[in-house]
Amino acid sequence: MTPMLDAAEVSRVPRRTAPPMWLVVALACAGQFLVVLDVSVVNTALPSMRTGLGLSEHGLQWVVNTYTIAFAGFMLLGGRAGDLYGRKRMFLVGLGLFTLASLGGGLAQDDWQLLLARAVQGLGAAVLAPSTLTILTSAVPEGPARARAIATWTAVGAGGGAAGGLVGGLLVEALSWRWVLLINVPVGAVVLFGAARWLAESRAGDGRRLDLPGAVLVTAGLATLAYGISQTEAEGWTATATLVPLAAGLAMIALFLAVEARTAAPLMPLGLLARRSVSSANVSMFLCGSAMFCMWFFMTLYAQNVLGYSPLEAGLALVPSSLAVVVGSKLAPRFMPGLGARALAAIGTLVAAIGFAWQSTMTVDGSYLTAIMIPGILMMFGAGLTATPLAALATSGAPPQEAGLVSGLVNTSRTMGGSLGLAVMSTIAATRTGSGDSAEALTEGYALVFRTGTGVLVAGTLLMLLWLPRRMSAE
């Protein structure tokens, strides 16, 4: 038996000092930046990937879709695993998977190797992303300091999505498409070392096991639903290839809810959805994400296909918008004490709606200033103002044993909203454009997308005013 230490010996054991709060926030935000960046960074590299690996048009679509489907499908599982097995541990596991998969994708010699690497990347991102927000909210006490930390997390995440086009364009033109993935390896290694060295472990610690039936059902249901959504652009909403996975995904999610209502230790306690701050903020996040996520995609298409910009020029054109979302996210904590989270989220959504309405007036010969820069700044500044109070509302008052799950819900709502919104908006644009590929036809399709987005955001503003709680929970 190991001899017990007496009091004097215990007092001589050095205690590990807690890392500075800014370092914890920086590591969490670095992980979030990587996973969000990889949603969009491959877009500008797709033509080069097709040439290098002989990918078909369908294969190109799945370079993007395999990542987002795995990301969305495993998010709740990743959040709950962090609660039960440790947030730091899941952060390291997720980032390790993500980094290794990035290396495999960058070295891929066949199309199936690239697609497999992207799927594993998405799995790693789903394990990593919920832990980033949970580690941050666990380290920073509730109040103004946490609001500022969440604002930084939101800004970095939004900046990752916004910077994808620019980063991808720079890497493809300066090096090759492979570096769009390989760049994650040295960055991931540095963050892994820092996280292993300085992050503290935290978990729910209640001894429960992971709800495997619930995990299988919700993961399979969300992944199948996301697959069905991804089929809409190529097959349409009424095709069998679309309807079957959509119906199967919805059926599995319904079965998941039935299982969760009966199991003793559910993956997602249904009572959590009865919490007004959680349900209203996540629905609002889903609705806003369905419109705002599309902005980068269609603005890039408009710049390249209509105005004749190169991929790098299109990425540079959206730099002001990228800065605007960061500025909005950083200003949000300053406005929240006076305005309140609900009012600020509604104001931000309304500002974004004004930008969408302006963008819907686009023409085939639009100038950069009025056709891209100013409306883009309005859209993304509003998005930055909105995301921080919604994330703060969704996570406020969450009990420690549910913190990872709530963080997973926030990321799932945003990711699934963006995936569904992009599929719907792509169908709307294709319906208006028809078989024409002229600049005039494409502009009409893109303009209709932004008009539709305006309506979605106005509806979201009204929803927030009616449903979001006036104050954040302090339970």
Side-chain angles (χ1 to χ4, degrees), residues 149-285:
I150 291 177
T152 302
W153 179 86
T154 302
V156 168
L166 176 59
V167 173
L170 287 171
L171 290 173
V172 171
E173 292 199 11
L175 298 169
S176 76
W177 68 263
R178 295 183 181 277
W179 279 96
V180 170
L181 299 172
L182 291 176
I183 193 65
N184 293 327
V185 178
V187 178
V190 170
V191 179
L192 268 172
F193 173 80
R197 174 68 179 82
W198 286 296
L199 288 183
E201 186 60 279
S202 66
R203 70 185 75 190
D206 55 7
R208 290 182 299 172
R209 293 184 177 182
L210 191 65
D211 173 23
L212 290 180
V216 170
L217 283 171
V218 72
T219 301
L222 288 176
T224 305
L225 188 61
Y227 172 78
I229 292 169
S230 71
Q231 293 291 90
T232 57
E233 185 175 355
E235 305 290 342
W237 285 95
T238 59
T240 302
T242 299
L243 293 177
V244 170
L246 285 178
L250 291 173
M252 281 187 279
I253 291 174
L255 184 57
F256 162 72
L257 295 175
V259 169
E260 297 304 280
R262 294 174 178 272
T263 187
L267 178 68
M268 186 180 73
L270 299 185
L272 189 65
L273 297 179
R275 188 184 293 269
R276 184 180 176 185
S277 60
V278 173
S279 56
S280 61
N282 275 279
V283 171
S284 299
M285 187 85 74

Side-chain angles (χ1 to χ4, degrees), residues 67 100-102 104-106 108 112-122 181:
Y67 181 83
L100 289 174
S102 298
W112 69 267
Q113 294 173 351
L114 177 60
L115 296 179
L116 177 61
R118 288 289 286 169
V120 178
Q121 262 193 316
L181 299 172

Side-chain angles (χ1 to χ4, degrees), residues 88-134:
K88 175 182 176 178
R89 179 180 297 177
M90 290 300 104
F91 185 99
L92 296 174
V93 169
L95 184 56
L97 276 176
F98 181 88
T99 303
L100 289 174
S102 298
L103 177 62
L107 299 177
Q109 300 300 311
D110 294 301
D111 53 357
W112 69 267
Q113 294 173 351
L114 177 60
L115 296 179
L116 177 61
R118 288 289 286 169
V120 178
Q121 262 193 316
L123 173 60
V127 175
L128 170 62
S131 296
T132 63
L133 183 55
T134 310

Side-chain angles (χ1 to χ4, degrees), residues 12 35 54 100 102 110 160 178 196 242 269 280 292 306 338 346 373 416 424 458:
R12 290 195 297 268
V35 301
L100 289 174
S102 298
D110 294 301
R178 295 183 181 277
T242 299
S280 61
M292 292 177 181
V306 176
M373 191 180 84
M416 288 302 296
V424 172
V458 170

Side-chain angles (χ1 to χ4, degrees), residues 369-457:
L369 185 66
T370 58
I372 291 181
M373 191 180 84
I374 296 178
I377 288 174
L378 287 172
M379 286 185 277
M380 289 298 100
F381 181 71
L385 289 178
T386 300
T388 297
L390 288 181
L393 280 168
T395 57
S396 66
Q401 67 271 20
E402 312 295 351
L405 176 59
V406 173
S407 300
L409 276 173
V410 170
N411 281 286
T412 299
S413 298
R414 181 164 48 191
T415 305
M416 288 302 296
S419 298
L420 176 60
L422 182 58
V424 172
M425 297 298 187
S426 296
T427 302
I428 290 172
T431 302
R432 174 57 64 91
T433 301
S435 58
D437 57 358
S438 65
E440 291 79 7
L442 292 173
T443 301
E444 289 183 6
Y446 302 154
L448 181 58
V449 164
F450 284 98
R451 284 197 294 274
T452 305
T454 303
V456 171
L457 292 175

